[in-house]
Amino acid sequence: MAMNRLFAASLLLSGGLALPAARANSDYISSCGPDWMAVNDVKSNHGAIQRIGYNTAVDSFCDKAGGITVGAGAYSSMATRVWLDYGNNPETTGLNGWVYFEIHNKQSGTHVVDATSCKQYLKKLSENTSGNSCYGPTNKDTKGGTWQVGNDAVSYHALANKLPPSADAVDTIITQSGAIAALGSGGKGNILDPFPTYAFNDVTPFACHSHNDYTRDKALYSALSAGCISVEADIWIHGSKLVVGHTDPGSNGQTFTDLYVNPLKKLIDERKAIFPAKPDQSLSLLIDFKNAGSNTDKAWDQLVTDLKPLRDAGYLSHWDGSFKQGLVTIVASGNAIKDQSSSTPSPIAKALSDATNPQRAIFVDAVIHKDMSRFDASNAYFASAKWSDAVPNGLPISGAAKTKLDEAHSKGFKVRYWDIPGKDSWQQIVDSGVDRLNVDDLQYVAGLEW
Ligand SMILES: *[C@@H]1O[C@H](CO)[C@@H](O)[C@H](O)[C@H]1NC(C)=O
């Protein structure tokens, strides 16, 4: 509750209307920004992961900006990494994002940036002073904002953004006639275009599964920003297109190719990894088949076609007598499993033949709480179920539920439950040996230790 009040207060200020009329219109904070950033660097996962706080980002910008001449009316800008704490404790909550720094010279003469002054100005926004409403004392965070130098002569802006900039301004200062803007979608819904493949260089992977990934702020990008090694897309067949959505979005929906195949291809082409900080780490792409009946087979064939660029490039895990780990592991779920409601489900026939499953590069999702005898390492990679079906007695996972968990592991499967308990139970679920934590609110995986 306290946090909500703080948020509301800052929103008011960011409109610029709540400032006392008596304040001198010189050397002052004129507005607060849109999102909370941790002020100090934060360590998580037993101190092994370092998140970049606002003050470190300011130092990095001002050290680069020092000595730069900003012409009349121009902006000198740079975006750099910062930890967005979502208005919560930054040690347990947040996502890797960006802070956009801008020095806007509104004078008719030039402005030469002094590194020391630059740091002083921008750190006004992160100081715990009575006049600074952009600061959050509870979590030691800041919304950033704008510091006006002199009589509104030069503005020093620091604005958080979940997305990288469209311009080539990451850790590089550019001077132009306008401010930098966030990367857009290229008209294709919530995918970033061009996909910013550099954005995960410093991300440490974690065993989270981005449930209904296409519903995130940005498909794939948000999950990889959190370090998730698994994402889920629900697919529907329309002619020769696979479209993505929990309910059928129709033939004009976003395509599986645009949302996942093309960005992943570009990511691995350019970085030779999903997460360069752990280059062998693969990403699981769970594809939930929504169509039933003969359309299941049509969707399967289309998936095989759509995956061709990844398959031909050698990026997919596959089975050729033994499991060969690729950077992307495709796992078909939903109606790609036959007789799901019976006691002995099995992969659909298309999954089991080299003719319809080239390279045997599509694995399926075994049903963990049922007879798994029809699934093995040649055809399955995950073993999943709804939490309440598979672990009816809840935490700790014990008895029959534990026996099935161990059985899945002995068969080489990664275990994932969906509809899991709330975030207070997540650490215990991870500690129980569950391989993929099924999450919607990606910012809460930051507090987990493994
Ligand atoms: C902020 O300043 C107030 C007033 O000086 C002080 O009581 C409080 O402990 C400070 N909080 C933080 C988080 O530094």
Side-chain angles (χ1 to χ4, degrees):
M1 279 318 284
M3 195 40 54
N4 285 339
R5 278 200 301 278
L6 197 63
F7 187 75
S10 292
L11 272 182
L12 275 177
L13 271 174
S14 67
L17 299 171
L19 286 169
R23 183 185 294 277
N25 205 17
S26 179
D27 299 311
Y28 69 109
I29 294 172
S30 61
S31 63
C32 299
D35 288 305
W36 292 105
M37 300 172 267
V39 168
N40 301 310
D41 292 355
V42 180
K43 289 199 158 124
S44 61
N45 189 27
H46 309 287
I49 301 179
Q50 173 111 337
R51 326 282 197 181
I52 306 296
Y54 175 83
N55 284 350
T56 296
V58 167
D59 289 345
S60 133
F61 169 63
C62 293
D63 285 339
K64 286 187 172 142
I68 280 183
T69 299
V70 189
Y75 291 76
S76 287
S77 310
M78 180 181 112
T80 193
R81 184 57 97 199
V82 81
W83 186 244
L84 305 178
D85 72 13
Y86 284 61
N88 260 292
N89 177 357
E91 288 172 11
T92 57
T93 311
L95 272 188
N96 276 304
W98 310 89
V99 51
Y100 292 18
F101 293 113
E102 281 151 5
I103 301 173
H104 178 200
N105 179 15
K106 297 182 280 186
Q107 309 168 108
S108 51
T110 56
H111 171 73
V112 178
V113 180
D114 172 70
T116 305
S117 307
C118 171
K119 291 176 191 179
Q120 278 168 4
Y121 300 153
L122 288 167
K123 287 181 188 176
K124 298 283 186 191
L125 297 158
S126 58
E127 274 168 19
N128 180 21
T129 51
S130 60
N132 179 14
S133 304
C134 308
Y135 178 76
T138 310
N139 298 307
K140 296 190 180 135
D141 49 8
T142 176
K143 301 197 87 175
T146 302
W147 175 261
Q148 302 289 0
V149 178
N151 191 13
D152 287 350
V154 185
S155 306
Y156 279 68
H157 301 282
L159 302 170
N161 205 308
K162 290 172 183 163
L163 308 179
S166 55
D168 187 12
V170 174
D171 295 326
T172 303
I173 299 196
I174 61 168
T175 299
Q176 52 184 32
S177 60
I180 52 175
L183 185 59
S185 67
K188 288 176 183 163
N190 71 334
I191 189 63
L192 292 179
D193 187 22
F195 196 68
T197 64
Y198 57 81
F200 320 108
N201 284 352
D202 58 344
V203 173
T204 306
F206 170 71
C208 43
H209 171 85
S210 178
H211 174 242
N212 290 347
D213 179 73
Y214 48 86
T215 64
R216 303 278 98 81
D217 283 337
K218 295 291 167 187
L220 190 60
Y221 170 85
S222 304
L224 297 184
S225 295
C228 289
I229 61 170
S230 185
V231 299
E232 174 175 345
D234 296 348
I235 56 156
W236 304 84
I237 184 80
H238 279 282
S240 61
K241 266 203 290 192
L242 286 178
V243 296
V244 176
H246 188 67
T247 50
D248 188 347
S251 58
N252 289 325
Q254 298 191 88
T255 66
F256 175 69
T257 293
D258 285 341
L259 288 180
Y260 297 104
V261 175
N262 291 343
L264 284 171
K265 175 75 166 45
K266 183 173 156 76
L267 177 60
I268 304 173
D269 283 350
E270 293 183 4
R271 304 287 146 186
K272 312 297 172 209
I274 304 288
F275 300 102
K278 195 179 172 196
D280 294 341
Q281 178 63 57
S282 78
L283 178 84
S284 306
L285 191 50
L286 184 82
I287 299 165
D288 190 342
F289 279 62
K290 291 297 187 185
N291 294 108
S294 63
N295 279 334
T296 303
D297 281 356
K298 282 187 192 148
W300 181 281
D301 291 342
Q302 190 59 46
L303 178 63
V304 167
T305 302
D306 286 1
L307 289 172
K308 187 174 188 329
L310 295 172
R311 194 170 53 240
D312 287 355
Y315 294 165
L316 298 184
S317 299
H318 56 278
W319 176 267
D320 63 2
S322 64
F323 181 76
K324 296 291 168 4
Q325 181 74 64
L327 281 172
V328 178
T329 305
I330 305 294
V331 185
S333 187
N335 286 325
I337 315 304
K338 203 171 76 171
D339 303 329
Q340 281 179 73
S341 49
S342 78
S343 58
T344 8
S346 62
I348 58 171
K350 292 262 183 190
L352 300 175
S353 132
D354 290 1
T356 50
N357 186 1
Q359 287 184 16
R360 301 297 286 265
I362 303 176
F363 297 85
V364 301
D365 190 11
V367 185
I368 189 168
H369 64 301
K370 303 219 167 154
D371 180 344
M372 289 190 284
S373 61
R374 310 268 170 90
F375 300 93
D376 60 46
S378 75
N379 58 44
Y381 186 74
F382 272 16
S384 302
K386 188 173 182 175
W387 174 263
S388 57
D389 288 340
V391 194
N393 298 325
L395 287 164
I397 300 174
S398 59
K402 174 80 168 83
T403 304
K404 293 302 281 183
L405 176 71
D406 292 344
E407 182 194 343
H409 281 161
S410 72
K411 290 173 80 84
F413 303 154
K414 309 290 184 197
V415 172
R416 173 194 68 110
Y417 304 107
W418 70 87
D419 285 354
I420 58 172
K423 63 179 166 36
D424 292 344
S425 299
W426 289 2
Q427 185 68 53
Q428 200 182 350
I429 293 173
V430 170
D431 293 344
S432 304
V434 173
D435 300 282
R436 299 287 183 273
L437 189 73
N438 196 81
V439 297
D440 290 293
D441 297 316
L442 298 171
Q443 68 271 25
Y444 296 126
V445 303
L448 299 172
E449 303 197 310
W450 66 94

